[in-house]
Amino acid sequence: MASAAVTSFIVFIPFLFLMLNSSAAHYIPCSESLVEIAQGKNISHCKKLTTLGVEFGWEVSKHDERQIDILVSKRLNNAEMMWLAWGVNPQVRPQMVGTRAIIGIRQLNGSAGAKTYNITADTKLGCRLQPSEIDVQVKNMSLDYVASFDYLTLHATIVLPSIYNISRLNHVWQVGYGAQGAEPAMHPTALQNFDSTETIDLGNGSAQHVHGVLNIIGWGTFLPAGVIIARYFPYPLELGAYRYHLHVACQIIGYNLGVVGWSIGLWLGQASKEYKFKVHRIFSIFIFTFTTLQVLALRWKPHKTDDYRKYWNMYHHFLGYALLAVISLNIFHGIDILKPDHSWKRAYVGILGVFGVIVTALEIFTWAKYLTEDKKPKTDAGPGNPKPGSGRAAAAAAAETQPPT
């Protein structure tokens, strides 16, 4: 029974990873209206982007994978004037500065047109953004208003240079509501306007949101798994050394993934100086500081023979449970900040639900075994009196016969 339970638990953790990863990678299909528009332009892939209500369609050429038809769309919602932008960025991370963009502007008189732009650091400082040549070949640019659906659509065929990878393409989108001729005015300063970037695989449409995924998997999945192993596996399953190694493995994996995600979060905070999320930041620093303290216990902790070891155990356990509560709270807070599709929150609620079922089952099993043993004759083993000949009894006997240190 013990080996089967261990195997099931080991298989369960990667399953959680795959479930969350597939949820984060899965894209939400476009609205029926845009699907109809896309089909008219022979574009078969279409997804809703994570912010600004923008939808994105694409079709990779069968003859040249670097030639891509793109379709970017946004419902006008009675706005008399709007500009719609989409672009690619060859840098390591998706961001506005360095983007090679196509911007389509719909003027107040209803006329519309699209041109290419280089988004530089000067643009971010407030300098005028004028049309310019870019290193991405762009053909058949057009900005159209589809009155039947109230959609503004930006369509073009692009040919990417070799420095771009369609399996990991950094793309950026934006929406604004004013322009002077071919010069778009500054877009709104809402959070979604500063978070309109992602890395996409044009092969399947999956997007990468590294910060959130790493923290949910690391701190939100592996750390609780390690706590469950430490609390329930020694008594009901009697795994001995295997239990300790599993506990340590989960804690180290969860800690490393969480720290990487936390570091990316710090970078994101520096890159988005327009917004400060003090509560999320304070919680994340608390989590990093005290998970580091917990992990250090792998090397620095009192010996079992030390008089104050039981007090250290109480502190270690209490801090671990408190961290799990703060981690869950901060993950939900981060999801509310990012405002991705609902699958993120559903996936994490599903993970917590599975953990809840496991904890409930193990708690019932633990108490059932304890009460069963407690009803046996006193010559038998109790919770504090191991069976003669058992592994725990042998360990206790060995400890008693060792000379004091």
Side-chain angles (χ1 to χ4, degrees):
M1 177 181 175
S3 60
V6 174
T7 303
S8 300
F9 201 89
I10 294 174
V11 172
F12 168 70
I13 292 177
F15 169 75
L16 284 178
F17 176 88
L18 292 174
M19 181 179 69
L20 179 61
N21 194 43
S22 62
S23 171
H26 175 72
Y27 67 90
I28 301 178
C30 288
S31 61
E32 293 182 2
S33 301
L34 190 61
V35 169
E36 184 176 333
I37 298 172
Q39 288 175 346
K41 298 181 181 294
N42 296 319
I43 291 177
S44 58
H45 300 88
C46 194
K47 63 174 285 187
K48 290 183 179 179
L49 298 178
T50 55
T51 61
L52 301 176
V54 176
E55 299 178 81
F56 176 58
W58 72 97
E59 186 70 30
V60 180
S61 172
K62 296 178 181 178
H63 306 290
D64 182 4
E65 68 172 12
R66 299 196 175 278
Q67 179 173 311
I68 306 164
D69 287 339
I70 62 104
L71 179 68
V72 186
S73 181
K74 164 77 175 174
R75 192 177 294 276
L76 206 56
N77 291 327
N78 299 319
E80 295 182 354
M81 188 177 191
M82 178 187 289
W83 59 262
L84 186 60
W86 180 88
V88 294
N89 195 316
Q91 300 180 30
V92 177
R93 298 182 181 91
Q95 59 184 11
M96 181 186 75
V97 175
T99 296
R100 282 66 164 163
I102 305 169
I103 301 179
I105 302 175
R106 184 177 190 264
Q107 305 290 349
L108 287 172
N109 60 11
S111 63
K115 296 182 182 296
T116 58
Y117 298 76
N118 261 313
I119 313 299
T120 65
D122 292 334
T123 308
K124 191 173 183 179
L125 293 174
C127 295
R128 298 177 63 184
L129 179 60
Q130 297 288 344
S132 60
E133 297 293 325
I134 60 176
D135 60 6
V136 176
Q137 183 181 352
V138 182
K139 302 181 290 186
N140 306 322
M141 280 185 297
S142 65
L143 182 73
D144 303 302
Y145 174 61
V146 184
S148 58
F149 298 123
D150 194 31
Y151 270 98
L152 195 64
T153 62
L154 178 64
H155 178 249
T157 299
I158 64 173
V159 180
L160 296 172
S162 58
I163 60 173
Y164 294 89
N165 181 1
I166 68 166
S167 297
R168 188 179 172 81
L169 184 66
N170 297 327
H171 75 132
V172 179
W173 61 94
Q174 194 55 258
V175 175
Y177 297 94
Q180 294 181 355
E183 180 185 340
M186 175 64 180
H187 58 71
T189 57
L191 173 61
Q192 290 203 4
N193 291 92
F194 292 100
D195 196 33
S196 53
T197 67
E198 71 178 12
T199 300
I200 187 172
D201 181 356
L202 293 183
N204 57 27
S206 64
Q208 299 175 10
H209 304 276
V210 181
H211 166 62
V213 171
L214 286 178
N215 283 327
I216 291 175
I217 293 172
W219 284 343
T221 304
F222 277 96
L223 290 190
V227 171
I228 291 174
I229 290 171
R231 174 169 172 77
Y232 294 105
F233 276 29
Y235 179 68
L237 300 181
E238 298 182 356
L239 295 177
Y242 294 106
R243 159 254 183 179
Y244 176 76
H245 295 314
L246 281 173
H247 169 67
V248 170
C250 284
Q251 300 304 87
I252 291 177
I253 293 172
Y255 176 76
N256 288 333
L257 291 175
V259 168
V260 174
W262 177 74
S263 302
I264 294 174
L266 290 181
W267 177 84
L268 291 173
Q270 292 297 320
S272 300
K273 296 182 180 179
E274 294 83 2
Y275 288 89
K276 300 295 182 184
F277 304 102
K278 293 183 179 179
V279 174
H280 191 62
R281 185 182 181 88
I282 290 172
F283 279 166
S284 67
I285 293 174
F286 174 87
I287 292 167
F288 169 75
T289 301
F290 288 102
T291 51
T292 300
L293 193 62
Q294 291 286 81
V295 170
L296 289 176
L298 297 174
R299 185 162 182 86
W300 290 296
K301 61 183 176 182
H303 296 290
K304 292 183 178 181
T305 55
D306 291 337
D307 293 338
Y308 57 90
R309 174 62 183 258
K310 64 178 181 179
Y311 301 108
W312 182 90
N313 284 341
M314 293 171 60
Y315 138 80
H316 185 68
H317 295 161
F318 173 79
L319 181 58
Y321 298 141
L323 277 170
L324 293 186
V326 176
I327 286 170
S328 297
L329 180 63
N330 209 34
I331 286 175
F332 281 118
H333 191 228
I335 292 174
D336 289 338
I337 290 172
L338 182 61
K339 291 183 172 63
D341 59 86
H342 295 299
S343 63
W344 280 62
K345 185 171 288 187
R346 290 169 184 166
Y348 186 56
V349 169
I351 289 173
L352 294 181
V354 173
F355 277 137
V357 171
I358 291 175
V359 168
T360 301
L362 290 175
E363 191 73 26
I364 293 173
F365 180 75
T366 302
W367 277 98
K369 186 171 183 179
Y370 171 78
L371 294 174
T372 301
E373 291 186 351
D374 195 45
K375 292 179 180 179
K376 292 181 180 180
K378 292 187 178 181
T379 54
D380 290 347
N385 184 25
K387 291 182 181 180
S390 69
R392 285 186 291 169
E400 290 177 0
T401 57
Q402 289 192 8
T405 57

